[in-house]
């Protein structure tokens, strides 16, 4: 077990290069199962979740190269030997469920452990299953696994009650090789869905409408391997932007796409940060006290739930009271009690947090509870006076590439040590 120690009170300054998006790389890796030849994927972040997805597709019979060493990986799925995603892998990463769509069309069957709840909510996959059933899959639940069988899936009209991100991705992947046309209504509009659609289209799929709430997929008979570059991680970019704002910093974020961050940028400006946007970079500067600002998480293009914890750290140092409402996940406030240990004044009422800005935060021993909560504690720690010690940092390694190195290069005093 390791922990992170931060000596706070530093203003971040300099440049940081944003990595490829975890939540685009994972579905793209799963989608490579649909080709019967090699896919080369660039700008893949070196993260624990990517390694887990690599392990899973390797278990299924794919040859995966480069995952430990660099940001370009090769996946060759010529010969799949298995069609199941075992509990041991799914329990460490919910996104393993993304192999469900590819496996059912590639193998005619799939057996995937039901992911169960996690730290941020119940997170069922009923909508993934409903869509696949509409396309003709036979579904059985037994012994904690969902088993699917189908000859060739048929195109269908699918309405999603909730615009689920990985649900939309699973259905898009399955529909790419189904017979006929599939229309997904109330589809997720997240940029990662668009990145996956672009990858699939490069493989030979016929998908239109990705990025809107109606996606149309004309099924094709086969897909071929391709080469592709994963989009930049908008949540990593948002996290560094928040880190600059909370520390009265001046940080240039390179290799990012500010147009994916409209809601976050607009909120940062409300807090008093100065944000300058270029096509593939942005600069975030702030001087003086932050101003309070209310936030409600919503599906894209609304304010992302994956930025809620980091924004709350920011608001805990703002002048005035902010109301932060979480509408996507029912249990995504586990960072609150940890921020309170650092002196934040936050009260939770249902899915709303009332944050009364304090003049200062003070370093304390805290515990990371999920990936974005960990990021929130890191930025709070950099802004706080004194030493913050963050334990359970394995959550952080799931989603932030080289965070200590990147924060250190911006001037933060942060190090990883073995926990006693
Ligand atoms: N939902 C259902 N039924 C379903 C699917 C979803 O009720 O069949 C509900 C969920 O319980 C939740 C809501 O729909 O309340 C939205 O969840 P969604 O399915 O969109 O989330 P996800 O696809 O499981 C992805 C990201 C998350 C991110 C959410 C929301 C990946 C691999 N994960 O999860 O990322 O928070 O979308 O934007 O893309 C993270 O990176 O830290 C992370 C948690």
């Amino acid at each position: 077990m390791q922990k992170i120690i931060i000596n706070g009170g530093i203003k971040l300054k300099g440049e940081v290069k944003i990595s490829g998006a975890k939540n685009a790389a994972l579905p793209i890796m799963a989608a490579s199962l649909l080709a019967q030849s090699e896919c080369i994927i660039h700008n893949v972040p070196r993260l624990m979740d990517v390694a887990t997805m690599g392990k899973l597709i390797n278990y299924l019979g794919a040859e995966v190269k480069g995952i430990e060493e660099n940001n370009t990986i090769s996946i060759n799925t010529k010969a799949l030997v298995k069609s199941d995603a075992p509990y041991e892998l799914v329990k460490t990463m919910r996104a393993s469920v993304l192999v469900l769509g590819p496996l059912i069309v590639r193998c005619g069957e799939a057996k995937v452990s039901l992911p169960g709840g996690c730290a941020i909510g119940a997170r069922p996959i009923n909508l993934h299953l409903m869509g696949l059933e509409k396309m003709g899959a036979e579904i059985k639940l037994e012994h904690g696994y969902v088993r699917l069988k189908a000859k060739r899936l048929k195109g269908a009209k699918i309405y999603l009650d909730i615009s689920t991100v990985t649900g939309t991705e699973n259905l898009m992947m399955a529909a790419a090789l189904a017979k006929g046309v599939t229309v997904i209504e109330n589809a997720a509009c997240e940029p990662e869905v668009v990145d996956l659609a672009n990858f699939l289209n490069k493989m030979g799929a016929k998908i239109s409408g990705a990025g809107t709430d109606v996606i149309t997929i004309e099924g094709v008979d086969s897909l071929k391997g391709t080469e592709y570059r994963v989009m930049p991680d908008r949540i990593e970019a948002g996290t560094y932007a928040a880190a600059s704002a909370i520390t009265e910093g001046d940080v240039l974020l390179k290799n990012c796409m500010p147009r994916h961050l409209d809601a976050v940028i607009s909120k940062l400006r409300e807090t008093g940060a100065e944000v300058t946007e270029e096509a593939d970079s942005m600069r975030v500067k702030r001087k003086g006290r932050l101003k309070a600002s209310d936030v409600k998480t919503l599906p894209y293009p609304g304010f992302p739930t994956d930025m809620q914890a980091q924004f709350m750290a920011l608001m805990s140092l703002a002048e005035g009271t902010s109301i932060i409402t979480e509408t996507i996940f029912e249990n995504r406030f586990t960072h609150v009690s940890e921020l309170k240990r650092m002196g934040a004044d936050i009260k939770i009422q249902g899915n709303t947090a009332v944050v009364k800005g304090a003049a200062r935060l003070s370093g304390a021993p805290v515990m990371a509870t999920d990936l974005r909560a960990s990021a929130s504690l890191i930025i709070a720690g950099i802004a706080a006076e004194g030493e913050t010690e963050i334990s359970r940092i394995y959550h952080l390694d799931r989603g932030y590439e080289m965070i200590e190195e990147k924060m250190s290069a911006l001037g933060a005093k942060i190090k990883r040590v073995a926990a006693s």
Side-chain angles (χ1 to χ4, degrees), residues 191-385:
E192 293 78 10
V193 173
V194 180
D195 215 37
L196 173 64
N198 290 342
F199 175 70
L200 288 166
N201 283 341
K202 235 185 146 195
M203 293 168 92
K206 292 189 175 161
I207 302 174
S208 58
T212 75
D213 60 358
V214 180
I215 301 179
T216 305
I217 305 120
E218 205 182 304
V220 296
D221 291 334
S222 65
L223 294 173
K224 55 182 189 325
T226 190
E227 197 166 340
Y228 193 78
R229 186 174 177 83
V230 174
M231 62 176 266
D233 197 311
R234 65 191 166 103
I235 304 301
E236 189 198 19
T239 303
Y240 284 98
S244 178
I246 199 175
T247 60
E248 278 198 82
D250 181 357
V251 175
L252 178 66
L253 285 76
K254 295 179 95 170
N255 285 27
C256 63
M257 281 196 179
R259 68 184 165 87
H260 291 158
L261 281 157
D262 283 348
V264 174
I265 291 173
S266 142
K267 284 290 149 188
L268 285 171
R269 286 189 177 133
E270 264 182 49
T271 67
E274 192 185 305
V275 185
T276 333
E277 299 170 57
E278 301 289 339
D280 60 358
S281 68
M282 65 194 251
R283 183 170 176 186
V284 182
K285 263 187 1 179
R286 186 183 70 79
K287 274 211 159 53
R289 184 105 193 254
L290 287 158
K291 292 193 283 261
S293 167
D294 297 342
V295 155
K296 186 177 196 172
T297 64
L298 286 169
Y300 190 83
F303 190 92
T305 173
D306 291 344
M307 277 300 299
Q308 180 257 108
Q310 300 88 315
F311 199 81
M312 192 178 299
L314 202 62
M315 289 301 89
S316 61
L317 276 174
E319 190 161 24
T321 300
S322 321
I323 309 287
I324 300 184
T325 312
E326 171 59 54
T327 74
I328 309 292
F329 293 113
E330 62 275 23
N331 189 28
R332 214 175 194 181
F333 281 148
T334 52
H335 42 284
V336 169
S337 45
E338 304 304 306
L339 289 172
K340 281 167 84 168
R341 294 176 58 74
M342 300 176 73
D345 180 348
I346 308 172
K347 286 197 177 64
I348 302 179
Q349 293 165 354
N351 68 342
T352 296
V354 180
V355 188
K356 267 195 203 153
R360 63 188 60 81
L361 293 178
S362 57
V366 288
M367 197 183 284
T369 45
D370 75 59
L371 171 58
R372 308 303 170 187
S374 319
S376 136
L377 298 176
I378 296 255
I379 65 176
I382 295 173
E385 289 170 1

Side-chain angles (χ1 to χ4, degrees), residues 22-23 123-127 164-166 306 328-329 372:
K22 164 179 87 77
N23 288 349
R123 302 181 79 183
I125 57 162
N126 58 311
L127 298 169
T164 157
V165 176
T166 48
D306 291 344
I328 309 292
F329 293 113
R372 308 303 170 187

